[in-house]
PDB file of all heavy atoms in Angstrom:
ATOM      1  N   GLN A 638       6.753 -13.868  -7.198  1.00 97.00           N
ATOM      2  CA  GLN A 638       6.251 -13.981  -8.564  1.00 97.00           C
ATOM      3  C   GLN A 638       5.270 -15.148  -8.687  1.00 97.00           C
ATOM      4  O   GLN A 638       4.223 -15.038  -9.329  1.00 97.00           O
ATOM      5  CB  GLN A 638       7.426 -14.179  -9.527  1.00 97.00           C
ATOM      6  CG  GLN A 638       7.026 -14.189 -10.990  1.00 97.00           C
ATOM      7  CD  GLN A 638       8.236 -14.300 -11.902  1.00 97.00           C
ATOM      8  OE1 GLN A 638       9.353 -13.926 -11.553  1.00 97.00           O
ATOM      9  NE2 GLN A 638       8.034 -14.829 -13.101  1.00 97.00           N
ATOM     10  N   VAL A 639       5.601 -16.267  -8.050  1.00 98.00           N
ATOM     11  CA  VAL A 639       4.703 -17.425  -8.066  1.00 98.00           C
ATOM     12  C   VAL A 639       3.443 -17.133  -7.266  1.00 98.00           C
ATOM     13  O   VAL A 639       2.321 -17.440  -7.703  1.00 98.00           O
ATOM     14  CB  VAL A 639       5.425 -18.674  -7.524  1.00 98.00           C
ATOM     15  CG1 VAL A 639       4.444 -19.821  -7.280  1.00 98.00           C
ATOM     16  CG2 VAL A 639       6.512 -19.106  -8.502  1.00 98.00           C
ATOM     17  N   LEU A 640       3.596 -16.532  -6.083  1.00 97.00           N
ATOM     18  CA  LEU A 640       2.418 -16.193  -5.278  1.00 97.00           C
ATOM     19  C   LEU A 640       1.520 -15.200  -6.007  1.00 97.00           C
ATOM     20  O   LEU A 640       0.294 -15.224  -5.839  1.00 97.00           O
ATOM     21  CB  LEU A 640       2.858 -15.623  -3.922  1.00 97.00           C
ATOM     22  CG  LEU A 640       3.522 -16.610  -2.963  1.00 97.00           C
ATOM     23  CD1 LEU A 640       3.964 -15.899  -1.686  1.00 97.00           C
ATOM     24  CD2 LEU A 640       2.574 -17.762  -2.620  1.00 97.00           C
ATOM     25  N   ASP A 641       2.109 -14.345  -6.827  1.00 97.00           N
ATOM     26  CA  ASP A 641       1.317 -13.382  -7.577  1.00 97.00           C
ATOM     27  C   ASP A 641       0.402 -14.081  -8.580  1.00 97.00           C
ATOM     28  O   ASP A 641      -0.714 -13.619  -8.851  1.00 97.00           O
ATOM     29  CB  ASP A 641       2.237 -12.396  -8.308  1.00 97.00           C
ATOM     30  CG  ASP A 641       1.484 -11.220  -8.906  1.00 97.00           C
ATOM     31  OD1 ASP A 641       0.841 -10.483  -8.140  1.00 97.00           O
ATOM     32  OD2 ASP A 641       1.523 -11.061 -10.141  1.00 97.00           O
ATOM     33  N   VAL A 642       0.850 -15.202  -9.129  1.00 97.00           N
ATOM     34  CA  VAL A 642       0.002 -15.989 -10.028  1.00 97.00           C
ATOM     35  C   VAL A 642      -1.204 -16.526  -9.257  1.00 97.00           C
ATOM     36  O   VAL A 642      -2.331 -16.523  -9.762  1.00 97.00           O
ATOM     37  CB  VAL A 642       0.806 -17.140 -10.663  1.00 97.00           C
ATOM     38  CG1 VAL A 642      -0.102 -18.011 -11.534  1.00 97.00           C
ATOM     39  CG2 VAL A 642       1.963 -16.591 -11.502  1.00 97.00           C
ATOM     40  N   PHE A 643      -0.953 -16.980  -8.026  1.00 97.00           N
ATOM     41  CA  PHE A 643      -2.066 -17.428  -7.181  1.00 97.00           C
ATOM     42  C   PHE A 643      -3.019 -16.270  -6.891  1.00 97.00           C
ATOM     43  O   PHE A 643      -4.244 -16.438  -6.922  1.00 97.00           O
ATOM     44  CB  PHE A 643      -1.543 -18.021  -5.875  1.00 97.00           C
ATOM     45  CG  PHE A 643      -1.041 -19.423  -6.004  1.00 97.00           C
ATOM     46  CD1 PHE A 643       0.308 -19.688  -6.154  1.00 97.00           C
ATOM     47  CD2 PHE A 643      -1.923 -20.497  -5.979  1.00 97.00           C
ATOM     48  CE1 PHE A 643       0.774 -20.972  -6.273  1.00 97.00           C
ATOM     49  CE2 PHE A 643      -1.467 -21.795  -6.097  1.00 97.00           C
ATOM     50  CZ  PHE A 643      -0.112 -22.044  -6.253  1.00 97.00           C
ATOM     51  N   LYS A 644      -2.460 -15.095  -6.594  1.00 97.00           N
ATOM     52  CA  LYS A 644      -3.309 -13.923  -6.326  1.00 97.00           C
ATOM     53  C   LYS A 644      -4.278 -13.689  -7.483  1.00 97.00           C
ATOM     54  O   LYS A 644      -5.485 -13.520  -7.287  1.00 97.00           O
ATOM     55  CB  LYS A 644      -2.445 -12.662  -6.146  1.00 97.00           C
ATOM     56  CG  LYS A 644      -1.626 -12.594  -4.889  1.00 97.00           C
ATOM     57  CD  LYS A 644      -0.839 -11.289  -4.871  1.00 97.00           C
ATOM     58  CE  LYS A 644       0.143 -11.234  -3.723  1.00 97.00           C
ATOM     59  NZ  LYS A 644       0.908  -9.976  -3.686  1.00 97.00           N
ATOM     60  N   LYS A 645      -3.728 -13.661  -8.689  1.00 96.00           N
ATOM     61  CA  LYS A 645      -4.554 -13.385  -9.869  1.00 96.00           C
ATOM     62  C   LYS A 645      -5.648 -14.436 -10.036  1.00 96.00           C
ATOM     63  O   LYS A 645      -6.796 -14.120 -10.375  1.00 96.00           O
ATOM     64  CB  LYS A 645      -3.669 -13.345 -11.109  1.00 96.00           C
ATOM     65  CG  LYS A 645      -2.762 -12.123 -11.211  1.00 96.00           C
ATOM     66  CD  LYS A 645      -1.924 -12.203 -12.479  1.00 96.00           C
ATOM     67  CE  LYS A 645      -1.195 -10.894 -12.762  1.00 96.00           C
ATOM     68  NZ  LYS A 645      -0.172 -10.571 -11.766  1.00 96.00           N
ATOM     69  N   ALA A 646      -5.289 -15.703  -9.793  1.00 96.00           N
ATOM     70  CA  ALA A 646      -6.265 -16.777  -9.961  1.00 96.00           C
ATOM     71  C   ALA A 646      -7.381 -16.667  -8.927  1.00 96.00           C
ATOM     72  O   ALA A 646      -8.569 -16.847  -9.251  1.00 96.00           O
ATOM     73  CB  ALA A 646      -5.572 -18.131  -9.851  1.00 96.00           C
ATOM     74  N   TYR A 647      -7.021 -16.372  -7.679  1.00 97.00           N
ATOM     75  CA  TYR A 647      -8.040 -16.221  -6.635  1.00 97.00           C
ATOM     76  C   TYR A 647      -8.931 -15.002  -6.900  1.00 97.00           C
ATOM     77  O   TYR A 647     -10.142 -15.031  -6.636  1.00 97.00           O
ATOM     78  CB  TYR A 647      -7.390 -16.099  -5.265  1.00 97.00           C
ATOM     79  CG  TYR A 647      -6.958 -17.416  -4.665  1.00 97.00           C
ATOM     80  CD1 TYR A 647      -5.609 -17.680  -4.430  1.00 97.00           C
ATOM     81  CD2 TYR A 647      -7.883 -18.398  -4.320  1.00 97.00           C
ATOM     82  CE1 TYR A 647      -5.199 -18.889  -3.872  1.00 97.00           C
ATOM     83  CE2 TYR A 647      -7.486 -19.607  -3.768  1.00 97.00           C
ATOM     84  CZ  TYR A 647      -6.141 -19.849  -3.547  1.00 97.00           C
ATOM     85  OH  TYR A 647      -5.745 -21.039  -3.003  1.00 97.00           O
ATOM     86  N   VAL A 648      -8.340 -13.922  -7.415  1.00 96.00           N
ATOM     87  CA  VAL A 648      -9.142 -12.735  -7.746  1.00 96.00           C
ATOM     88  C   VAL A 648     -10.151 -13.065  -8.843  1.00 96.00           C
ATOM     89  O   VAL A 648     -11.318 -12.649  -8.785  1.00 96.00           O
ATOM     90  CB  VAL A 648      -8.221 -11.569  -8.179  1.00 96.00           C
ATOM     91  CG1 VAL A 648      -9.035 -10.443  -8.815  1.00 96.00           C
ATOM     92  CG2 VAL A 648      -7.453 -11.030  -6.977  1.00 96.00           C
ATOM     93  N   LYS A 649      -9.709 -13.818  -9.839  1.00 95.00           N
ATOM     94  CA  LYS A 649     -10.618 -14.228 -10.908  1.00 95.00           C
ATOM     95  C   LYS A 649     -11.740 -15.117 -10.363  1.00 95.00           C
ATOM     96  O   LYS A 649     -12.911 -14.955 -10.709  1.00 95.00           O
ATOM     97  CB  LYS A 649      -9.835 -14.979 -11.985  1.00 95.00           C
ATOM     98  CG  LYS A 649     -10.661 -15.353 -13.205  1.00 95.00           C
ATOM     99  CD  LYS A 649      -9.797 -15.986 -14.280  1.00 95.00           C
ATOM    100  CE  LYS A 649     -10.616 -16.307 -15.534  1.00 95.00           C
ATOM    101  NZ  LYS A 649      -9.771 -16.918 -16.590  1.00 95.00           N
ATOM    102  N   LEU A 650     -11.362 -16.032  -9.479  1.00 96.00           N
ATOM    103  CA  LEU A 650     -12.361 -16.913  -8.862  1.00 96.00           C
ATOM    104  C   LEU A 650     -13.340 -16.097  -8.023  1.00 96.00           C
ATOM    105  O   LEU A 650     -14.556 -16.331  -8.062  1.00 96.00           O
ATOM    106  CB  LEU A 650     -11.655 -17.957  -7.995  1.00 96.00           C
ATOM    107  CG  LEU A 650     -12.539 -18.946  -7.238  1.00 96.00           C
ATOM    108  CD1 LEU A 650     -13.427 -19.724  -8.207  1.00 96.00           C
ATOM    109  CD2 LEU A 650     -11.668 -19.900  -6.422  1.00 96.00           C
ATOM    110  N   ALA A 651     -12.824 -15.128  -7.274  1.00 96.00           N
ATOM    111  CA  ALA A 651     -13.690 -14.280  -6.435  1.00 96.00           C
ATOM    112  C   ALA A 651     -14.690 -13.505  -7.288  1.00 96.00           C
ATOM    113  O   ALA A 651     -15.857 -13.332  -6.909  1.00 96.00           O
ATOM    114  CB  ALA A 651     -12.836 -13.316  -5.619  1.00 96.00           C
ATOM    115  N   HIS A 652     -14.226 -13.032  -8.437  1.00 95.00           N
ATOM    116  CA  HIS A 652     -15.122 -12.286  -9.332  1.00 95.00           C
ATOM    117  C   HIS A 652     -16.290 -13.163  -9.776  1.00 95.00           C
ATOM    118  O   HIS A 652     -17.457 -12.730  -9.758  1.00 95.00           O
ATOM    119  CB  HIS A 652     -14.339 -11.805 -10.558  1.00 95.00           C
ATOM    120  CG  HIS A 652     -15.179 -11.104 -11.581  1.00 95.00           C
ATOM    121  ND1 HIS A 652     -15.697  -9.843 -11.383  1.00 95.00           N
ATOM    122  CD2 HIS A 652     -15.612 -11.520 -12.805  1.00 95.00           C
ATOM    123  CE1 HIS A 652     -16.411  -9.488 -12.437  1.00 95.00           C
ATOM    124  NE2 HIS A 652     -16.381 -10.488 -13.311  1.00 95.00           N
ATOM    125  N   LEU A 653     -16.001 -14.400 -10.146  1.00 94.00           N
ATOM    126  CA  LEU A 653     -17.061 -15.311 -10.601  1.00 94.00           C
ATOM    127  C   LEU A 653     -18.007 -15.675  -9.464  1.00 94.00           C
ATOM    128  O   LEU A 653     -19.227 -15.726  -9.646  1.00 94.00           O
ATOM    129  CB  LEU A 653     -16.437 -16.571 -11.191  1.00 94.00           C
ATOM    130  CG  LEU A 653     -15.695 -16.394 -12.524  1.00 94.00           C
ATOM    131  CD1 LEU A 653     -15.019 -17.692 -12.936  1.00 94.00           C
ATOM    132  CD2 LEU A 653     -16.650 -15.931 -13.620  1.00 94.00           C
ATOM    133  N   LEU A 654     -17.447 -15.946  -8.278  1.00 94.00           N
ATOM    134  CA  LEU A 654     -18.283 -16.325  -7.140  1.00 94.00           C
ATOM    135  C   LEU A 654     -19.173 -15.174  -6.685  1.00 94.00           C
ATOM    136  O   LEU A 654     -20.305 -15.382  -6.246  1.00 94.00           O
ATOM    137  CB  LEU A 654     -17.405 -16.810  -5.986  1.00 94.00           C
ATOM    138  CG  LEU A 654     -16.658 -18.127  -6.220  1.00 94.00           C
ATOM    139  CD1 LEU A 654     -15.737 -18.439  -5.047  1.00 94.00           C
ATOM    140  CD2 LEU A 654     -17.634 -19.276  -6.437  1.00 94.00           C
ATOM    141  N   THR A 655     -18.670 -13.955  -6.790  1.00 92.00           N
ATOM    142  CA  THR A 655     -19.489 -12.781  -6.449  1.00 92.00           C
ATOM    143  C   THR A 655     -20.593 -12.582  -7.476  1.00 92.00           C
ATOM    144  O   THR A 655     -21.737 -12.249  -7.133  1.00 92.00           O
ATOM    145  CB  THR A 655     -18.603 -11.519  -6.374  1.00 92.00           C
ATOM    146  OG1 THR A 655     -17.542 -11.736  -5.429  1.00 92.00           O
ATOM    147  CG2 THR A 655     -19.412 -10.311  -5.931  1.00 92.00           C
ATOM    148  N   LYS A 656     -20.253 -12.819  -8.708  1.00 91.00           N
ATOM    149  CA  LYS A 656     -21.215 -12.643  -9.801  1.00 91.00           C
ATOM    150  C   LYS A 656     -22.426 -13.563  -9.652  1.00 91.00           C
ATOM    151  O   LYS A 656     -23.561 -13.172  -9.943  1.00 91.00           O
ATOM    152  CB  LYS A 656     -20.506 -12.904 -11.137  1.00 91.00           C
ATOM    153  CG  LYS A 656     -21.311 -12.530 -12.359  1.00 91.00           C
ATOM    154  CD  LYS A 656     -20.467 -12.719 -13.616  1.00 91.00           C
ATOM    155  CE  LYS A 656     -21.255 -12.350 -14.864  1.00 91.00           C
ATOM    156  NZ  LYS A 656     -20.438 -12.534 -16.099  1.00 91.00           N
ATOM    157  N   VAL A 657     -22.181 -14.796  -9.164  1.00 89.00           N
ATOM    158  CA  VAL A 657     -23.294 -15.757  -9.012  1.00 89.00           C
ATOM    159  C   VAL A 657     -23.876 -15.739  -7.604  1.00 89.00           C
ATOM    160  O   VAL A 657     -24.722 -16.573  -7.266  1.00 89.00           O
ATOM    161  CB  VAL A 657     -22.838 -17.186  -9.374  1.00 89.00           C
ATOM    162  CG1 VAL A 657     -22.412 -17.260 -10.818  1.00 89.00           C
ATOM    163  CG2 VAL A 657     -21.729 -17.681  -8.444  1.00 89.00           C
ATOM    164  N   GLY A 658     -23.427 -14.801  -6.752  1.00 85.00           N
ATOM    165  CA  GLY A 658     -24.028 -14.635  -5.439  1.00 85.00           C
ATOM    166  C   GLY A 658     -23.476 -15.537  -4.357  1.00 85.00           C
ATOM    167  O   GLY A 658     -24.038 -15.610  -3.262  1.00 85.00           O
ATOM    168  N   LYS A 659     -22.355 -16.229  -4.625  1.00 89.00           N
ATOM    169  CA  LYS A 659     -21.789 -17.110  -3.596  1.00 89.00           C
ATOM    170  C   LYS A 659     -20.838 -16.364  -2.659  1.00 89.00           C
ATOM    171  O   LYS A 659     -20.485 -16.876  -1.600  1.00 89.00           O
ATOM    172  CB  LYS A 659     -21.065 -18.290  -4.248  1.00 89.00           C
ATOM    173  CG  LYS A 659     -22.018 -19.299  -4.873  1.00 89.00           C
ATOM    174  CD  LYS A 659     -21.334 -20.633  -5.117  1.00 89.00           C
ATOM    175  CE  LYS A 659     -22.350 -21.702  -5.482  1.00 89.00           C
ATOM    176  NZ  LYS A 659     -21.739 -23.047  -5.523  1.00 89.00           N
ATOM    177  N   LEU A 660     -20.399 -15.167  -3.045  1.00 90.00           N
ATOM    178  CA  LEU A 660     -19.628 -14.282  -2.172  1.00 90.00           C
ATOM    179  C   LEU A 660     -20.313 -12.923  -2.143  1.00 90.00           C
ATOM    180  O   LEU A 660     -20.810 -12.455  -3.179  1.00 90.00           O
ATOM    181  CB  LEU A 660     -18.190 -14.113  -2.686  1.00 90.00           C
ATOM    182  CG  LEU A 660     -17.208 -15.274  -2.520  1.00 90.00           C
ATOM    183  CD1 LEU A 660     -15.863 -14.904  -3.124  1.00 90.00           C
ATOM    184  CD2 LEU A 660     -17.040 -15.650  -1.055  1.00 90.00           C
ATOM    185  N   PRO A 661     -20.325 -12.243  -0.999  1.00 85.00           N
ATOM    186  CA  PRO A 661     -20.951 -10.915  -0.932  1.00 85.00           C
ATOM    187  C   PRO A 661     -20.149  -9.857  -1.668  1.00 85.00           C
ATOM    188  O   PRO A 661     -20.697  -8.882  -2.168  1.00 85.00           O
ATOM    189  CB  PRO A 661     -21.010 -10.623   0.572  1.00 85.00           C
ATOM    190  CG  PRO A 661     -19.912 -11.452   1.156  1.00 85.00           C
ATOM    191  CD  PRO A 661     -19.839 -12.694   0.312  1.00 85.00           C
TER     192      PRO A 661
END
Side-chain angles (χ1 to χ4, degrees):
Q638 185 176 335
V639 169
L640 291 177
D641 190 60
V642 177
F643 281 98
K644 289 180 187 180
K645 288 180 169 66
Y647 280 116
V648 167
K649 185 175 182 180
L650 178 58
H652 176 72
L653 291 175
L654 293 175
T655 304
K656 190 175 180 180
V657 298
K659 288 198 169 189
L660 286 179

